[in-house]
Amino acid sequence: MNASGQQERRPRADVQRNRAALLETAQRHFLQHGVGTSLEAVAKEAGVGPATLYRHFPTREALLAAVLQRRSEEFVARRASIEQLGDAAEALERWLRAMEEYLSAFSGLPDPLMAAARAQDPDNPLTIPCDILITATDQYVRAAQRAGRVRASVQGYDLFLAACSVAWIKGTGTEEKSLDRLRTFIASGYRERDTQA
């Protein structure tokens, strides 16, 4: 019951089934075809009409945000593991790698996420996940700055964009050696120079 004493209505079983089928199918389509996959194909394979899909998820961004939420458990567990590290610079590096892997889960994923982060549109369902990632990145950056390991001018948003860029390049099939060189190049830009060298 809610505060007024009325019973809260639970979604009908068929509504819950349709939503679950749409999310499962959308995740498979995003994995196979990228975030630009046909939403009509998702609906058809899930056994519902396009109107049902759009009732649950009015926009592609809404569907993508819901699928990302379902996939976030492993990412949250990795963050908990990173939090245990005693070295702030290593924690930042591992966080950036974890974020990069999360952002490259689906081909084309960095594009709508960077657009959401740039626009800061409260009606875009991807804005909240971006804000969470940027805030967490900023926390790692500030900890590394306090330890004297990251330049004072660097912000979490900067490294969020860097991780998005690497994830986007990764999605083009670029070989790992090139990605490692790119990561090293980015790190040389945000790390504080060792004054003892």
Side-chain angles (χ1 to χ4, degrees):
M1 290 206 174
N2 61 22
S4 66
Q6 296 176 335
Q7 275 193 328
E8 292 182 5
R9 292 176 56 187
R10 293 177 60 186
R12 293 188 339 237
D14 61 328
V15 172
Q16 292 175 321
R17 266 195 313 274
N18 286 344
R19 181 179 172 84
L22 283 166
L23 287 172
E24 188 66 37
T25 306
Q27 178 170 282
R28 194 165 47 254
H29 274 249
F30 288 150
L31 284 168
Q32 293 172 351
H33 310 292
V35 298
T37 191
S38 163
L39 297 189
E40 286 71 21
V42 169
K44 183 175 181 181
E45 189 178 318
V48 302
T52 299
L53 184 149
Y54 289 113
R55 249 193 321 275
H56 286 282
F57 308 104
T59 63
R60 181 179 300 272
E61 290 79 12
L63 179 59
L64 184 54
V67 170
L68 287 174
Q69 178 61 39
R70 288 185 83 200
R71 293 178 59 90
S72 65
E73 284 183 21
E74 182 184 341
F75 189 54
V76 169
R78 285 190 72 178
R79 183 175 180 189
S81 171
I82 292 168
E83 296 286 338
Q84 303 304 313
L85 295 172
D87 183 326
E90 183 183 354
L92 174 59
E93 190 173 321
R94 287 205 193 173
W95 167 252
L96 292 176
R97 193 63 175 267
M99 190 165 52
E100 173 196 315
E101 289 173 16
Y102 179 73
L103 295 168
S104 61
F106 310 128
S107 176
L109 178 58
D111 290 321
L113 289 176
M114 285 192 292
R118 186 172 54 249
Q120 285 297 297
D121 178 1
D123 294 327
N124 185 334
L126 292 174
T127 299
I128 291 174
C130 287
D131 285 347
I132 291 169
L133 291 174
I134 293 166
T135 299
T137 305
D138 208 48
Q139 290 168 352
Y140 287 110
V141 166
R142 290 180 189 281
Q145 286 170 333
R146 286 192 296 272
R149 305 289 298 280
V150 168
R151 297 173 192 263
S153 59
V154 176
Q155 297 179 0
Y157 181 72
D158 304 330
L159 296 188
F160 166 78
L161 291 178
C164 282
S165 301
V166 175
W168 185 88
I169 294 167
K170 188 175 185 177
T172 66
T174 301
E175 63 177 24
E176 196 61 29
K177 287 181 181 178
S178 293
L179 291 172
D180 281 339
R181 287 192 290 270
L182 179 57
R183 292 179 190 113
T184 300
F185 178 72
I186 290 169
S188 70
Y190 72 76
R191 285 185 188 141
E192 190 64 79
R193 290 194 179 134
D194 187 349
T195 56
Q196 297 179 341

